[in-house]
Amino acid sequence: MASDPSNPSSARPASPHSTVRRDLAWVLALTVLAAVLSVTFDFSEHAYRWTRGLERFQLDELPGTLCVLSICLAWFAWRRYRETRRELSRRCVLEAQAERLLADNRRLANQALQAQELERRHLARELHDELGQYLNAISLDAARIRDLSSGREPEVHRVSLGLMQSASHVYRQIGGMVRRLRPIGLDEFGLPSALEHCVDGWRERLPDASFSLAIEGDFAGLSDALTITLYRLVQEGLTNVSKFARTSRVEVFLVRAPREAQEPQDRQDARLIDEIVVTMADDGPGTDLEKPRGGLGLIGMRERVEALGGEFHVASKPEGGFLFCARVPAHAGLAEPVN
Ligand SMILES: Nc1ncnc2c1ncn2[C@@H]1O[C@H](COP(=O)(O)OP(=O)(O)O)[C@@H](O)[C@H]1O
Ligand SMILES: [Mg+2]
């Protein structure tokens, strides 16, 4: 499977100091070798003897000219070297600036997502508590009108039935909106139950696909931002399955497990990172990741994961299924412990 080319690779360049030292050693070695060979074989005397017959071409002036040329070339190289150094330090400053801006951007994206989720939660509660309550009251009043008008006022009876139907239609619509705004059971029963409920919903909606959900580890005590991010990742992944891989076999795997941090090789004390990994794979038609894609779903998933300090990877190829994997530190979104 091809992996997402938009992902930066982490090739480590050779240290510039070691190459400078090596090149200087070569220059010195070759100069000493040339001096030793010249002394041993009397190179200048031979050259003079060979070129004596060509005095009219002034070849004996060549060494001086070549000496000036080499000094000029050294000066030229030195100027280019200085220019390159200046350009390099300018780039380093710009890179540091870009990194700072990227970190600011991630923080802002994180805050925007959190504000969005907070607003959604608030809206869901308002819709459920306020509108739901009044709709219930309308429905009960309509039922009472229906009972009172039954047999006596056929026109009023008909209107009351219509009113009850409309109220229950709006009630269902609001229920759907509330579920989209805040996943069912996420606050009450926790992430695993909410995900099971979400996958069950897709099982009903997509009978030609098959779904398996495996959850390992303890998901209590995560920040709200992380919990909702994990839920939204699976939700968006399953929505994509419904759009692009309706008849595939889908495997969702969610695990919380410690992983060894990638420390420099000379460090012996391996550090463990408590992290959560979400993987979703389907064996559907896949896609060519090299081609430009228009949607915002995968971009939003990456934004959410990176805003929490995690990594997001996608792999797919035409007729080869689709896979995404997100790794996020389990403490993401929680306040840092005070030492
Ligand atoms: N499960 C999948 N199987 C095949 N292709 C997929 C799948 N998920 C995403 N894609 C491809 O990746 C593209 C980007 O997905 P996404 O960002 O969610 O945008 P959208 O769903 O709005 O098209 C899709 O247009 C589709 O080509
Ligand atoms: Mg999508």
Side-chain angles (χ1 to χ4, degrees), residues 236 240 243-244 297:
E236 175 60 27
N240 278 349
K243 288 197 215 166
F244 310 111

Side-chain angles (χ1 to χ4, degrees), residues 74-125:
W75 170 81
F76 183 82
W78 173 248
R79 300 254 312 167
R80 299 293 81 76
Y81 170 73
R82 294 282 302 273
E83 270 174 23
T84 313
R85 287 278 307 253
R86 267 200 301 275
E87 181 64 17
L88 211 65
S89 56
R90 205 171 63 87
R91 279 189 190 196
C92 284
V93 171
L94 288 178
E95 251 172 47
Q97 215 171 357
E99 242 162 61
R100 252 196 331 272
L101 287 176
L102 203 65
D104 286 351
N105 213 8
R106 288 207 178 125
R107 232 186 15 256
L108 280 176
N110 193 8
Q111 271 175 14
L113 287 169
Q114 282 192 33
Q116 187 192 42
E117 288 300 340
L118 207 72
E119 189 58 27
R120 283 180 171 181
R121 189 194 256 189
H122 179 70
L123 266 176
R125 201 169 295 149

